[in-house]
Amino acid sequence: MLSIQFFITLVLWVLLLVSTLIFIHHLCLSKYWQSRNLPFIHPSPLLGNLKDLLFLKISFGEQFLALYRHRALSRAAVGGIYILNKPALLLREPELIQLLFIKNFHSFANRYEAASRNDRSGSLALALAKYPAWRASRLQLCKVFTSGQLRECRYPLMLQIAEDLENHLLKIISPANGGIIEVKELCSLFTTDLTSLVHFGVRAGGLKKGHSEVRKQTKKLLKVSFYKTLTFMVVFFLPHLTDILRIRVFPQSYMKFIKEFVTAIRKQRRGFQTSENQDLLGNLLGLERTGYPFATHPDFITAQAAIFLLAGFETSSSVLALTLYELAKQPEIQQRLRQEINGAFKEKPSLSFDQLQQLSYLHQVVCEGLRMYPSAAFINRECTPLQRNKGFNFTTKHGPVYIPKGMPVYVSILGLHRDEKYWPQPDFFNPERFSSKNICSVLPSSYLPFGVGPHGCIGSRLGLLQVKLGLAHILKICRVQECSKTMAQLKFDEKSFMLKARGDLFLRFEKI
């Protein structure tokens, strides 16, 4: 009896001690920005300013939008926030974004998120690699995404998938379903097929068959689970723990598929000249053969294949689906766009690269879709000053700000894109913002759909091109409309890292 009472007393004392330590830590932490005379958002104990995100109440993008709009920072150019128990900065003015992330890139050379050093597939992937490995890889891989490469090598392949998209649509639109189609899956089949072909030379066949092994694996990868959610939280907000917890960015099942996928293509290409395979994988294999630094690591190619397959289809499919949703809600805009598209398709069943690029209203519509629905709705950088143990100093209208080495700095792209200071009526879909008359009034770095600076999206040209191509070939043969199953009010998926609609997104497709 005595031992039980002693044990209970001991437990209570331990709990009291832990609670006291947490309280003291929280008290000291909450005074960090206050003592530096910077506007800040008061943190919750242990959770910082990420409470709603950690409890899966809102998405990543919405969480940083909420911080951007918080009343404590409403008049601030930059504000203090807390990422769990770590102080961080949130930039709220385009001029500061340019100052830190472009003009002083070398002082913010890394993204804050990180993979475990034991997870080579994660740490070698371009999106997570650290400087200078990132720079060496980026300099080589950017050759795949030049305008010349897109025009000569990628675009002819993209037209093949666009034809498959038309045939698939004509096949699935029927009186039985009333033309009502789930748009997210349609767009994902299109972008997955396109990414597989232009990056790896593989015809996934999702649009022809309605499914593919590549699509199956990407769906499985994106299926939410407690472990995956925990993994993302650690990688993005507690990167110093990835080694201790041995966190892997990609599940083993996905990496097993990618390795088999790459191995099969290697065997098919054996004996071919590099010039015959100028896609992403051909470039990677060429780097491996020449012994380029980092490319000789056995996991380098699979790491890039894993991240480019995921990024290539997921970001564009979401923007494409949500732009169709907006066009269905605004038939006048859709009709004007269809008139431009039909005029371009008058003489030929497909458009040349230059013809597609010359469709000015299509460009405006896609730019506005990217403004309202940037797939990567927030970005960050880690302070990496050139001088050891020295931070970075800059001045705002409220006074000097010091960023110590290792501190993360965030930008809410969704916040900037929905700020009425830069975009009148920001929640209204209006392609005229990007007309030749109005584009000159867009403030630099207030529009960042593909990020900013050297860490901006390497595939931005390709992403823009495939969204345009998808829209052009869908609206060439169909009119999209709202239906009884269309959600009246769009909500974002709180379990997704990317910004995408929660649940199914249904629209009616009417053949023309």
Side-chain angles (χ1 to χ4, degrees):
M1 187 69 176
L2 183 64
S3 60
I4 294 175
Q5 288 179 338
F6 175 77
F7 177 75
I8 292 172
T9 303
L10 181 62
V11 169
L12 289 173
W13 274 107
V14 170
L15 289 174
L16 179 62
L17 177 62
V18 170
S19 300
T20 303
L21 291 174
I22 291 174
F23 175 75
I24 293 171
H25 174 72
H26 174 69
L27 199 62
C28 295
L29 186 68
S30 62
K31 290 182 178 180
Y32 181 89
W33 289 120
Q34 185 179 14
S35 65
R36 287 159 177 77
N37 297 315
L38 198 72
F40 70 99
I41 304 173
H42 283 278
S44 300
L46 299 180
L47 306 179
N49 299 133
L50 303 182
K51 181 180 176 182
D52 288 341
L53 176 64
L54 296 173
F55 284 99
L56 301 181
K57 291 182 178 180
I58 58 177
S59 66
F60 279 79
E62 288 175 297
Q63 175 66 86
F64 284 92
L65 172 65
L67 297 179
Y68 182 94
R69 290 177 170 175
H70 197 281
R71 62 182 183 276
L73 306 184
S74 60
R75 297 184 179 181
V78 58
I81 59 174
Y82 294 91
I83 302 302
L84 300 176
N85 65 342
K86 185 176 181 65
L89 278 174
L90 182 70
L91 303 182
R92 298 185 72 257
E93 284 196 353
E95 295 86 350
L96 289 181
I97 297 170
Q98 289 185 292
L99 175 67
L100 271 63
F101 293 176
I102 299 177
K103 295 177 182 176
N104 291 282
F105 166 74
H106 286 291
S107 292
F108 299 90
N110 288 331
R111 292 187 173 104
Y112 182 61
E113 59 266 21
S116 166
R117 284 171 294 185
N118 298 311
D119 176 19
R120 301 305 292 167
S121 296
S123 59
L124 286 169
L126 187 65
L128 293 167
K130 300 299 183 182
Y131 206 91
W134 165 83
R135 183 176 182 275
S137 299
R138 172 104 184 191
L139 285 173
Q140 295 301 313
L141 294 176
C142 68
K143 298 173 183 176
V144 179
F145 298 96
T146 63
S147 295
Q149 282 286 317
L150 288 179
R151 177 188 282 103
E152 303 301 326
C153 302
R154 310 285 177 276
Y155 191 70
L157 299 175
M158 295 172 73
L159 288 177
Q160 296 176 28
I161 304 302
E163 183 181 350
D164 290 347
L165 175 63
E166 284 189 36
N167 294 333
H168 177 71
L169 262 177
L170 293 172
K171 183 171 63 176
I172 63 175
I173 298 173
S174 69
N177 62 22
I180 297 175
I181 297 172
E182 203 289 301
V183 181
K184 287 165 62 177
E185 184 59 20
L186 169 71
C187 296
S188 291
L189 284 171
F190 168 65
T191 56
T192 303
D193 279 9
L194 191 148
T195 301
S196 299
L197 186 59
V198 301
H199 283 340
F200 308 106
V202 172
R203 271 215 172 253
L207 288 167
K208 287 190 172 182
K209 297 178 289 186
H211 63 87
S212 71
E213 184 59 29
V214 177
R215 179 68 188 128
K216 176 184 173 183
Q217 291 296 330
T218 53
K219 283 179 74 172
K220 185 178 177 182
L221 175 66
L222 295 172
K223 189 176 181 180
V224 176
S225 69
F226 174 77
Y227 177 75
K228 287 178 185 174
T229 303
L230 179 63
T231 295
F232 265 89
M233 294 297 180
V234 173
V235 168
F236 276 86
F237 302 129
L238 296 168
H240 56 286
L241 294 182
T242 54
D243 285 339
I244 298 171
L245 299 176
R246 303 185 74 83
I247 291 289
R248 300 186 66 84
V249 175
F250 301 112
Q252 290 184 340
S253 59
Y254 179 66
M255 290 314 302
K256 181 175 182 291
F257 165 74
I258 291 293
K259 286 179 180 178
E260 292 172 353
F261 182 70
V262 170
T263 299
I265 301 171
R266 278 177 182 269
K267 289 179 180 178
Q268 291 175 0
R269 296 191 179 188
R270 195 164 290 160
F272 284 87
Q273 297 297 317
T274 307
S275 60
E276 295 179 65
N277 295 304
Q278 286 300 316
D279 54 15
L280 175 71
L281 188 57
N283 184 275
L284 291 170
L285 292 172
L287 291 176
E288 182 184 63
R289 284 192 293 270
T290 56
Y292 192 80
F294 307 109
T296 55
H297 191 284
D299 290 326
F300 178 79
I301 291 180
T302 53
Q304 308 315 323
I307 196 68
F308 276 96
L309 179 60
L310 174 62
F313 96 86
E314 175 70 356
T315 53
S316 295
S317 68
S318 179
V319 173
L320 180 55
L322 291 168
T323 303
L324 286 168
Y325 170 76
E326 290 292 339
L327 291 172
K329 292 200 302 178
Q330 297 199 54
E332 300 86 2
I333 292 176
Q334 182 183 167
Q335 181 59 25
R336 179 179 168 184
L337 176 59
R338 290 194 66 254
Q339 285 176 351
E340 181 183 67
I341 290 169
N342 290 334
F345 277 112
K346 261 184 179 177
E347 297 178 0
K348 293 183 179 180
S350 62
L351 302 177
S352 70
F353 179 89
D354 291 328
Q355 284 175 315
L356 184 67
Q357 299 292 53
Q358 288 165 7
L359 298 180
S360 58
Y361 197 63
L362 174 61
H363 181 73
Q364 290 174 219
V365 167
V366 173
C367 287
E368 179 67 348
L370 287 164
R371 182 194 68 81
M372 289 193 69
Y373 305 110
S375 296
F378 76 100
I379 55 173
N380 65 61
R381 300 288 185 269
E382 179 186 4
C383 185
T384 55
L386 295 174
Q387 291 179 292
R388 183 177 293 182
N389 299 324
K390 292 286 184 71
F392 183 83
N393 291 282
F394 67 102
T395 302
T396 72
K397 57 188 176 184
H398 298 294
V401 179
Y402 172 73
I403 309 177
K405 182 179 180 180
M407 177 175 281
V409 181
Y410 289 86
V411 172
S412 171
I413 293 176
L414 188 60
L416 286 168
H417 286 193
R418 298 292 185 102
D419 191 333
E420 61 183 9
K421 183 165 61 173
Y422 310 117
W423 310 96
Q425 295 182 289
D427 296 326
F428 182 72
F429 187 84
N430 179 16
E432 285 304 309
R433 302 178 201 274
F434 296 94
S435 67
S436 57
K437 181 178 69 174
N438 296 324
I439 191 68
C440 57
S441 63
V442 175
L443 198 65
S445 292
S446 65
Y447 180 66
L448 303 171
F450 297 107
V452 63
H455 268 294
C457 177
I458 192 174
S460 58
R461 289 192 186 97
L462 178 61
L464 198 60
L465 192 63
Q466 67 178 333
V467 174
K468 287 182 179 180
L469 193 66
L471 280 177
H473 281 264
I474 289 171
L475 297 179
K476 168 190 172 186
I477 60 171
C478 296
R479 181 183 291 113
V480 292
Q481 302 168 327
E482 293 181 279
C483 63
S484 58
K485 298 174 74 173
T486 303
M487 58 180 77
Q489 188 65 41
L490 187 75
K491 295 186 182 299
F492 295 120
D493 187 349
E494 61 275 8
K495 297 182 177 68
S496 172
F497 173 70
M498 296 292 183
L499 197 69
K500 64 180 184 179
R502 181 205 296 173
D504 293 330
L505 188 60
F506 289 100
L507 295 175
R508 176 178 284 109
F509 286 70
E510 180 187 347
K511 294 180 188 177
I512 303 301

